[in-house]
Amino acid sequence: MKKFIGIDIGGTNIKAGIVDESGRIVVKTSAETDFKKPYPEFVKDIYNICVGLTKKAGLSTADISGVGIGCPGTIWGDKGVIVYSNNLELENIPFVAEFKKNWDIPCAISNDANCAALGEATFGSGRGYENSIFITLGTGVGTGIVLNGKIWEGAHGAGAEGGHSVIVVDGEQCTCGRKGCWEAYASATGLIRETKRLMAENKDTLLHEAAKKQGKISARTSFDAAKQGDAAAKTLVNRYVEYVATGIVNLINFIRPDVIMIGGGVSNEGQYFIDMLQEYADKYNFGGSLNPSVPIKRAELLNDAGLVGAATLAMGMQ
Amino acid sequence: MKKFIGIDIGGTNIKAGIVDESGRIVVKTSAETDFKKPYPEFVKDIYNICVGLTKKAGLSTADISGVGIGCPGTIWGDKGVIVYSNNLELENIPFVAEFKKNWDIPCAISNDANCAALGEATFGSGRGYENSIFITLGTGVGTGIVLNGKIWEGAHGAGAEGGHSVIVVDGEQCTCGRKGCWEAYASATGLIRETKRLMAENKDTLLHEAAKKQGKISARTSFDAAKQGDAAAKTLVNRYVEYVATGIVNLINFIRPDVIMIGGGVSNEGQYFIDMLQEYADKYNFGGSLNPSVPIKRAELLNDAGLVGAATLAMGMQ
């Protein structure tokens, strides 16, 4: 079975692994890397990680069929270029060309969330579907689009930013400069903001107890208190679900994918949460019950989605 | 040069034409048709229109390389089926299979707005771009998506309903059952509603005069009064432009097409209107000036977009 290397570059460290054609991780590693070096050195570090991985797996570089890289920021996959990455303070880096100077092997790069979407679509909850949208509900709201089995990254790699879609004109300030983006409401950050507001207004809600138990106010706080029957927390959670589902239905009406996959921290609320989203989507999608339901599924690959997805990107070059 | 027939089925009549490979209409016609007949008869009527067209052009059916059909409603192009069409009161019609019983020729069908998008993308303002979104601002807000030169119609043909994307949670009631859809604000209908509201509140605005001159309150009323310097009308128009542009930026951030094309009645406001949309989009798109501007263009094919687009659909089968 052919083997590929997937590299998931993050703001603080790099996860890397050898993944076989069935999506199984053969071996993985992680490393801190200094992004502030001149880029050829940074790329060389990544090459060295690849060599290390093959040794760890008892293989040689000749056993590897391709390398895929997921990187935060705007990545122009067709050109193999990191257009810019705020997190990594990189701009206009011809990554693939540079990598090939170290190792002449099929190599592809895309945005990290796009890679995660591709991994999840191919080997996770999107298995068997051709067209899917992957939504991560975490600090922000990330979206990845897979059409006909391939990442849709948009012109110059700048698309798939579905979190930055206004759902409340003149609403909450978003980090992107606009007001009322889906991300400002549907992210864990948005939920925590609303939880804090409610706690400041209402001293009687179980939210205070739930937060105390956890040692902090998190996205879980409201779900925990709601599950204990707290009315205020239930209203808060229902409102949050409505915000998340509103954005999902917007995407369904526009793209009508075969499946929607939900990842990120908030997806840990599990099937209880997914079921609420599905109910809303089935009710409010355009055409209602006249159109077949678009299934909403919880992501399966979790923290490995990026790494597996990066390797999947390389598989697509075969 | 190869020739194709394009059929644009509307609620009251059918437009049909022979279109050559360069997008030129060789001959066209229109006819009323009775949709209430059993569907094989309705399909046969369309076949007869095709035969009539070829005669009118001094051609025979052997000179035609394919037939494309645009039809309102949910059309599942891959299957050649009209899933349902409210306007035509049709449901689950195997159109292509039935048509081929009359005439065994390459034949394709898609939603009418999708066909218009394809025509506009191929022979209109989208010439030279691979990926485009066509937006019509009329009674409703229609969207058509062309990716890699092909219509994106979504699962079961139910996608590309970008007008039904909530931009104001709990906002104005939309015909689709949700509240706050883009269509409820960015359509001519939405603009007329707001114009009427403002006129009821404000007796001093030039809107009254503009409406009197036109003999009715239309989408033009507010633009006319604004151009004459009326402050209240200017505020109204600016707000309307913001609504339209908000939805456009949402689509840009998600799909990041190479071009956005604007058609429908409101596009008659011309470059003045387009420039305002472009300014907003360049300012508020994700990444701002770090990303290349997505050009916004006024549609060129106007009333022929559907017919030419339907023929273009057939060209895609070659």
Side-chain angles (χ1 to χ4, degrees):
Chain A
M1 202 177 276
K2 284 186 180 175
K3 291 178 186 64
F4 299 83
I5 290 178
I7 308 274
D8 186 16
I9 304 180
T12 49
N13 65 5
I14 288 178
K15 289 185 239 175
I18 297 178
V19 180
D20 72 20
E21 277 177 299
S22 74
R24 194 178 64 90
I25 299 173
V26 177
V27 62
K28 64 180 175 178
T29 186
S30 79
E32 279 183 44
T33 302
D34 177 9
F35 308 113
K36 296 191 174 167
K37 312 178 162 177
Y39 80 84
E41 292 177 38
F42 162 60
V43 174
K44 194 172 186 83
D45 282 354
I46 290 179
Y47 165 65
N48 287 331
I49 291 173
C50 292
V51 174
L53 266 180
T54 53
K55 281 188 188 150
K56 192 170 170 181
L59 300 168
S60 83
T61 54
D63 297 316
I64 303 299
S65 299
V67 177
I69 292 110
C71 181
T74 299
I75 314 299
W76 195 352
D78 284 349
K79 305 275 179 193
V81 166
I82 300 174
V83 179
Y84 64 90
S85 176
N86 276 338
N87 294 3
L88 310 184
E89 299 172 34
L90 295 175
E91 210 176 310
N92 221 4
I93 306 296
F95 189 97
V96 169
E98 186 62 32
F99 189 85
K100 281 170 170 282
K101 288 185 192 166
N102 291 276
W103 186 9
D104 190 16
I105 187 167
C107 175
I109 189 167
S110 192
N111 170 276
D112 53 352
N114 290 348
C115 286
L118 181 65
E120 191 64 34
T122 311
F123 297 114
S125 54
R127 273 188 316 275
Y129 298 98
E130 250 191 314
N131 307 301
S132 59
I133 298 174
F134 183 42
I135 298 162
T136 53
L137 304 170
T139 310
V141 172
T143 58
I145 312 166
V146 174
L147 303 181
N148 301 317
K150 288 186 186 304
I151 291 172
W152 178 266
E153 60 178 20
H156 310 280
E161 293 290 354
H164 299 286
S165 179
V166 167
I167 62 163
V168 182
V169 164
D170 296 334
E172 298 286 339
Q173 184 64 49
C174 182
T175 53
C176 76
R178 287 212 289 174
K179 284 181 177 177
C181 282
W182 188 29
E183 170 163 305
Y185 293 87
S187 61
T189 313
L191 178 54
I192 292 168
R193 180 194 67 231
E194 295 304 315
T195 305
K196 284 181 179 168
R197 279 184 190 165
L198 182 56
M199 288 171 74
E201 277 168 21
N202 184 339
K203 297 295 171 198
D204 292 332
T205 157
L206 288 180
L207 288 168
H208 296 281
E209 209 177 292
K212 212 170 167 184
K213 213 179 270 177
Q214 280 174 55
K216 64 177 178 179
I217 299 171
S218 76
R220 265 182 56 199
T221 311
S222 54
F223 278 93
D224 284 356
K227 282 172 189 163
Q228 285 166 52
D230 185 71
K234 272 187 183 173
T235 306
L236 182 66
V237 165
N238 287 342
R239 187 72 179 155
Y240 172 72
V241 167
E242 249 180 68
Y243 284 128
V244 175
T246 293
I248 290 176
V249 173
N250 285 356
L251 301 184
I252 287 177
N253 287 353
F254 192 52
I255 294 298
R256 196 54 68 159
D258 303 322
V259 65
I260 298 272
M261 309 172 294
I262 309 286
V266 183
S267 71
N268 293 331
E269 294 303 326
Q271 204 54 40
Y272 165 79
F273 174 53
I274 301 291
D275 287 345
M276 288 193 286
L277 297 176
Q278 186 76 62
E279 191 186 347
Y280 186 100
D282 289 348
K283 187 168 173 189
Y284 290 109
N285 82 93
F286 189 74
S289 58
L290 284 168
N291 285 321
S293 169
V294 177
I296 300 174
K297 300 192 166 199
R298 187 181 170 192
E300 292 173 5
L301 300 185
L302 307 176
N303 291 332
D304 288 329
L307 189 165
V308 172
T312 313
L313 187 65
M315 292 176 205
M317 304 185 79
Q318 296 296 300
Chain B
M1 202 177 280
K2 284 187 181 176
K3 291 179 187 63
F4 299 84
I5 289 179
I7 307 274
D8 186 15
I9 304 179
T12 49
N13 64 6
I14 289 178
K15 292 186 237 174
I18 296 179
V19 179
D20 72 19
E21 277 177 301
S22 74
R24 193 177 64 89
I25 298 173
V26 177
V27 63
K28 65 180 173 178
T29 187
S30 79
E32 278 183 44
T33 302
D34 177 9
F35 308 113
K36 294 188 177 170
K37 312 178 164 177
Y39 79 84
E41 292 177 38
F42 162 60
V43 174
K44 194 172 186 84
D45 282 354
I46 290 179
Y47 166 66
N48 288 331
I49 292 172
C50 293
V51 174
L53 266 178
T54 55
K55 282 187 188 152
K56 192 171 172 182
L59 300 168
S60 84
T61 54
D63 297 316
I64 304 298
S65 299
V67 177
I69 291 110
C71 181
T74 299
I75 314 299
W76 195 353
D78 284 350
K79 306 275 178 192
V81 166
I82 301 174
V83 179
Y84 66 90
S85 175
N86 276 338
N87 294 2
L88 310 185
E89 299 172 33
L90 295 175
E91 210 176 309
N92 220 4
I93 306 296
F95 189 97
V96 169
E98 185 62 32
F99 189 85
K100 281 171 170 279
K101 288 185 192 167
N102 292 277
W103 186 8
D104 190 17
I105 188 168
C107 175
I109 189 167
S110 192
N111 170 276
D112 54 353
N114 290 349
C115 286
L118 181 66
E120 192 61 38
T122 311
F123 297 113
S125 55
R127 274 188 313 276
Y129 298 98
E130 251 191 314
N131 307 302
S132 59
I133 297 173
F134 183 42
I135 298 162
T136 52
L137 305 170
T139 310
V141 172
T143 57
I145 313 166
V146 175
L147 303 181
N148 301 316
K150 288 186 187 305
I151 291 172
W152 178 266
E153 59 179 21
H156 311 279
E161 292 291 353
H164 299 287
S165 178
V166 168
I167 63 164
V168 182
V169 163
D170 295 334
E172 298 286 339
Q173 183 64 49
C174 183
T175 54
C176 76
R178 288 211 290 174
K179 285 183 177 176
C181 282
W182 189 28
E183 170 164 305
Y185 293 88
S187 60
T189 314
L191 178 54
I192 292 167
R193 180 193 66 232
E194 295 304 315
T195 305
K196 284 181 179 168
R197 279 184 189 166
L198 183 56
M199 287 171 73
E201 276 169 22
N202 184 338
K203 297 296 170 196
D204 293 332
T205 158
L206 289 180
L207 287 168
H208 296 282
E209 210 176 291
K212 213 169 166 183
K213 215 179 268 177
Q214 281 174 56
K216 63 175 178 183
I217 300 170
S218 76
R220 264 182 58 199
T221 311
S222 56
F223 278 94
D224 284 357
K227 281 172 189 163
Q228 286 167 51
D230 184 71
K234 273 187 183 171
T235 305
L236 181 65
V237 165
N238 287 341
R239 188 71 179 155
Y240 172 73
V241 167
E242 248 180 67
Y243 283 128
V244 175
T246 293
I248 290 176
V249 173
N250 285 357
L251 300 184
I252 287 177
N253 287 353
F254 191 53
I255 293 296
R256 196 52 71 160
D258 303 323
V259 65
I260 298 273
M261 309 173 295
I262 310 285
V266 183
S267 70
N268 294 330
E269 295 303 326
Q271 203 54 40
Y272 164 79
F273 174 52
I274 300 292
D275 287 345
M276 288 193 286
L277 296 177
Q278 186 76 62
E279 191 185 346
Y280 186 101
D282 289 349
K283 187 167 173 189
Y284 289 109
N285 81 92
F286 189 74
S289 58
L290 284 169
N291 284 322
S293 169
V294 177
I296 300 174
K297 301 193 166 197
R298 188 182 169 191
E300 292 172 7
L301 301 184
L302 307 178
N303 290 332
D304 289 329
L307 189 163
V308 172
T312 313
L313 186 66
M315 293 177 204
M317 302 186 77
Q318 297 295 300

